[in-house]
Every structure is written in structure tokens, then in C-alpha cells.
Amino acid sequence: MLDFNTYQQLLALYADYAAALDNNEWDKWPDFFTEVCVYKVQPRENFERGYPLATLSFESRGMLKDRIYGATETIFHDPYYQRHVVSVPRILKVETETIRSEANYAVFRTKPDEMSTVFNVGRYLDTIRRTDEGLKFESRVCVFDSEMIPNSLIYPI
């Protein structure tokens, strides 16, 4: 069981993560993770069958920084905004140094001069590590429900 203070920090981690992405503060995204980390965006079918194939898969904070550089400096795409709606995290396991949790998410996408659409829906499966800088994601697997995603997945979920 988590103490109140740690649970408040966990809620802040989830809220701050979504706010950074919703506000296009891309440079902040890697700082939510430990130096050695896992970030995956994976279809539900592959996850449930134990298949390793993921739409995106990164294994370090350096790889996350590279993704942000690519998404903001080298990839040409129609601009769009994201808005995350994230459920309250459900605590799965608490250990001395880590917390395992999950939360449902829905990401809406809005392109200028278009109506907002549902972009991606699924759940986060997280391992969160206690660090000197506070709670950080050691692993975040975004398991999306649909087998299909829109034309491209550019920004983090």
C-alpha cells in the first residue's frame, strides 16, 4: 500500500506527463523517465499474445530524446494538437523502490480547421521508480485497443 504523500506524487507524475504532452513541451518528455527505461506503444493483440512487435519501442532516455528531435526537427507532417484524458492510476504492486500501476487513457487529436477526433485509446502499464529527483517511469507500455492507428504516430502517447 502507498502512503498518502507517495500517492499524491504518483498522481502528479501522471498529470504532469499528460500536461507536458498536451502543451507541446516535448523537451520535458524524456525527463519523466529514468536513464535506462522502456517506452513502448503496442497494439493490444500483440501484447496479449506475448508478441514483442510494437509500433514504437525505445530503451533509454537518449532514445526518447532522439525521438523528440526527429518529431520536432526532421519529420514533416500536418500540425496537430493532442489532449489526454487519463484515469486515476490503479496500483498493482508496491515494492521498496518501484510501483507497478496502470491507467486507462484516451488521446484526442485536433488539426487546425478540423473537428477533434479520437486518436488513440488504451491503457498505460507502468513501472515507476523512486529516485532522488522524485518518481520516474522506468517502464511505460502504452497498449492501444485498436489494431489500427491513424496514418502516423508522431508524438508520444
Side-chain angles (χ1 to χ4, degrees):
M1 179 179 245
L2 284 182
D3 62 86
F4 180 78
N5 186 46
T6 304
Y7 189 67
Q8 288 298 109
Q9 291 174 31
L10 180 71
L11 293 176
L13 177 66
Y14 275 79
D16 292 345
Y17 178 95
L21 297 182
D22 291 347
N23 294 324
N24 298 336
E25 296 173 331
W26 308 118
D27 291 340
K28 290 184 178 180
W29 180 59
D31 294 333
F32 288 100
F33 293 84
T34 57
E35 192 62 43
V36 176
C37 61
V38 171
Y39 176 81
K40 286 185 183 182
V41 178
Q42 188 173 27
R44 181 180 190 160
E45 179 181 23
N46 289 359
F47 178 81
E48 289 179 350
R49 293 182 179 187
Y51 298 156
L53 185 62
T55 306
L56 295 176
S57 183
F58 306 113
E59 298 176 354
S60 70
R61 190 184 298 165
M63 291 177 80
L64 301 180
K65 289 178 182 179
D66 285 347
R67 178 61 184 187
I68 293 303
Y69 178 80
T72 58
E73 301 295 329
T74 65
I75 298 174
F76 178 77
H77 62 89
D78 290 338
Y80 66 90
Y81 305 102
Q82 294 187 138
R83 185 70 51 201
H84 290 69
V85 178
V86 181
S87 72
V88 174
R90 185 167 73 102
I91 307 304
L92 303 175
K93 187 174 186 179
V94 178
E95 296 178 324
T96 305
E97 297 298 320
T98 60
I99 302 162
R100 284 190 37 238
S101 60
E102 71 175 9
N104 296 323
Y105 71 83
V107 179
F108 297 87
R109 179 168 73 172
T110 306
K111 292 183 177 183
D113 301 324
E114 289 186 22
M115 297 289 291
S116 297
T117 59
V118 177
F119 178 65
N120 195 284
V121 175
R123 63 187 168 137
Y124 294 127
L125 299 173
D126 298 318
T127 300
I128 297 149
R129 179 161 294 280
R130 300 171 202 261
T131 73
D132 292 341
E133 296 89 35
L135 298 179
K136 303 266 186 187
F137 293 109
E138 183 174 81
S139 173
R140 171 158 267 197
V141 179
C142 310
V143 179
F144 60 91
D145 290 335
S146 175
E147 294 178 20
M148 299 176 60
I149 56 173
N151 295 334
S152 64
L153 178 61
I154 297 166
Y155 299 123
I157 296 294

